[in-house]
């Protein structure tokens, strides 16, 4: 049976129990683990802030995230990077599967990506990316702040992440035209070494974005959780607008007062969830084979 059918069969047919020991789902082959996703959020959204960063391939999501990391102390988790790392990890059960999906510009089954993200979040929360200076405050006492880049790309991922990992705060939608994205990706492709930065894969990725990922943006937009930024201008200009958007929505912004900035900040309309949810029970600190740090 193909690996993905196996994942789906086990995932959908067996109801794992919670206990103090990490739950396991029997796998057909010994040593092979199947991603298990709980039915309640593992992380408490009153402490852990999750911002989804969406946009077409090459729109500039990663570029903006890098800057935000420096100024706001976010942990930046790129779903694509996590998948590529898992693909290259010796012994990964999902390596071949991920490789095929990425080359075809298709969305890897959500069980794999959601579990990789959950694991990476857990690692950041136990080893905070910022440990000194004013931004370290955001990583104390179980708190954390994440930019989840290039995710969710499909509705099932969006719903599952909110249900099983953490309720997201809002979506930063980095948007430009396919013409601009194509130029940027072909240029990046000269040095990126990415198997999907070529014309054939790019066209497939564009199609997947329009057909599969835009419905996710529309879903959050209907719930007034989308901030759209035009990423056609130079990266510095885009970043100025991104900063304003972030400052308007983070509950405790401006976070980098004291650093030089001419932007006028407001703290109105925070849309980060404030209702405490259940913290992660010990039994849910289940780690599968995926992306172990
Ligand atoms: N505003 C901009 N103006 C010009 N070039 C840009 C801009 N933003 C990003 N770039 C360049 O475009 C390329 C794609 O940017 P980036 O990697 O940030 O996009 P991305 O949305 O994360 O892409 P992907 O989803 O494919 O990973 C990079 O080479 C980057 O340097
Ligand atoms: O949630 C996700 C995110 C990404 N993918 C696959 O990875 C590639 C590359 O993603 P980038 O964000 O451009 O690095 C994407 O085309 C998908 O094939 C995914 O399956 N699920």
């Amino acid at each position: 049976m193909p690996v993905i059918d196996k994942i789906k069969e086990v995932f959908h047919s067996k109801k794992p129990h919670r206990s103090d020991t990490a739950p396991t789902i029997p796998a057909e082959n010994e040593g092979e683990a199947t991603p298990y996703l709980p039915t309640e959020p593992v992380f408490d959204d009153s402490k852990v802030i999750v911002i989804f960063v969406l946009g077409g391939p090459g729109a500039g999501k990663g570029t903006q995230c890098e800057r935000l990391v420096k100024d706001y102390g976010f942990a930046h988790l790129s779903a694509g990077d996590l998948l590529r790392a898992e693909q290259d990890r010796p012994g990964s059960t999902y390596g071949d599967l991920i490789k095929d999906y990425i080359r075809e510009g298709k969305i890897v089954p959500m069980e794999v990506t959601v579990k990789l993200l959950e694991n990476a979040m857990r690692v950041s929360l136990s080893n905070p990316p910022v440990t000194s200076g004013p931004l370290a405050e955001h990583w104390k006492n179980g708190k954390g702040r994440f930019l989840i880049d290039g995710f969710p790309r499909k509705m099932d991922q969006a719903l599952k992440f909110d249900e099983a990992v953490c309720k997201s705060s809002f979506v930063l939608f980095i948007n430009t035209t396919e013409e601009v994205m194509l130029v940027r990706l072909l240029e990046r492709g000269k040095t990126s070494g990415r198997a999907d930065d070529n014309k054939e894969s790019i066209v497939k990725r564009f199609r997947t974005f329009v057909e599969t990922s835009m419905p996710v943006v529309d879903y959050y937009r209907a719930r007034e959780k989308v901030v759209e930024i035009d990423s056609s201008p130079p990266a510095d200009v885009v970043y100025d607008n991104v900063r304003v958007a972030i400052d308007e929505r983070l509950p405790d912004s401006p976070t980098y007062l004291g650093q030089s900035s001419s932007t006028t900040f407001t703290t109105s309309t925070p849309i980060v969830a404030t209702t405490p949810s259940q913290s992660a029970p010990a039994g849910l600190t289940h780690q599968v084979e995926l992306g172990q740090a």
Side-chain angles (χ1 to χ4, degrees):
M1 185 190 300
V3 174
I4 193 51
D5 291 344
K6 206 158 49 183
I7 294 172
K8 287 190 180 298
E9 186 185 274
V10 175
F11 183 75
H12 293 298
S13 65
K14 298 226 177 18
K15 196 174 176 204
H17 64 279
R18 292 178 182 183
S19 71
D20 286 342
T21 54
T24 54
I25 301 174
E28 212 169 72
N29 302 329
E30 203 172 338
E32 182 181 301
T34 303
Y36 156 59
L37 299 170
T39 51
E40 283 174 24
V42 172
F43 303 112
D44 178 346
D45 64 356
S46 69
K47 291 184 169 178
V48 175
I49 296 173
V50 169
I51 300 175
F52 290 144
V53 184
L54 291 177
K61 303 178 292 296
T63 301
Q64 297 304 319
C65 286
E66 265 177 39
R67 293 163 188 233
L68 286 168
V69 163
K70 290 195 193 110
D71 286 339
Y72 294 82
F74 286 108
H76 172 208
L77 300 180
S78 153
D81 284 351
L82 289 172
L83 286 166
R84 282 183 285 274
E86 179 64 19
Q87 169 198 293
D88 295 339
R89 192 172 62 81
S92 169
T93 302
Y94 307 106
D96 290 342
L97 170 108
I98 294 170
K99 197 176 193 168
D100 291 345
Y101 273 80
I102 288 184
R103 197 186 45 243
E104 291 304 312
K106 292 195 301 192
I107 308 303
V108 172
M110 61 113 176
E111 290 85 350
V112 173
T113 316
V114 172
K115 182 53 79 176
L116 282 170
L117 286 166
E118 181 199 324
N119 287 350
M121 286 176 71
R122 202 186 300 286
V123 168
S124 293
L125 286 163
S126 33
N127 304 288
V130 192
T131 51
S132 61
L135 295 174
E137 207 49 48
H138 301 300
W139 289 93
K140 285 188 179 147
N141 306 318
K143 287 190 291 178
R145 37 173 56 187
F146 293 88
L147 294 172
I148 305 223
D149 169 3
F151 178 96
R153 301 272 253 270
K154 197 172 172 181
M155 268 319 295
D156 65 347
Q157 292 178 325
L159 299 176
K160 197 61 191 175
F161 186 93
D162 272 3
E163 178 190 89
V165 182
C166 189
K167 256 204 161 346
S168 56
S169 300
F170 62 94
V171 173
L172 187 60
F173 179 35
I174 306 290
N175 194 25
T176 183
T177 63
E178 286 191 1
E179 288 73 20
V180 169
M181 294 191 285
L182 178 63
V183 171
R184 288 181 185 172
L185 289 175
L186 290 176
E187 185 59 31
R188 188 178 72 181
K190 290 177 186 167
T191 54
S192 69
R194 280 181 53 159
D196 57 353
D197 276 351
N198 58 77
K199 186 83 189 279
E200 199 186 332
S201 292
I202 292 168
V203 168
K204 290 177 181 168
R205 289 159 72 196
F206 285 169
R207 192 175 319 130
T208 301
F209 182 73
V210 170
E211 291 172 0
T212 311
S213 306
M214 269 313 289
V216 177
V217 177
D218 293 339
Y219 170 85
Y220 285 114
R221 212 196 301 265
R223 284 154 185 78
E224 299 185 355
K225 287 180 109 187
V226 172
V227 194
E228 181 167 345
I229 306 287
D230 178 9
S231 66
S232 316
D236 288 347
V237 176
V238 177
Y239 186 57
D240 284 343
N241 296 327
V242 166
R243 263 183 14 187
V244 172
I246 293 287
D247 286 322
E248 280 177 352
R249 282 160 184 84
L250 280 183
D252 52 358
S253 280
T255 54
Y256 55 100
L257 268 181
Q259 297 184 25
S260 62
S261 171
S262 58
T263 311
T264 305
F265 299 110
T266 64
T267 52
S268 60
T269 58
I271 56 175
V272 175
T274 50
T275 324
S277 65
Q278 222 179 337
S279 297
L284 294 185
T285 55
H286 172 62
Q287 301 274 316
V288 292
E289 175 206 8
L290 288 168
Q292 293 282 317

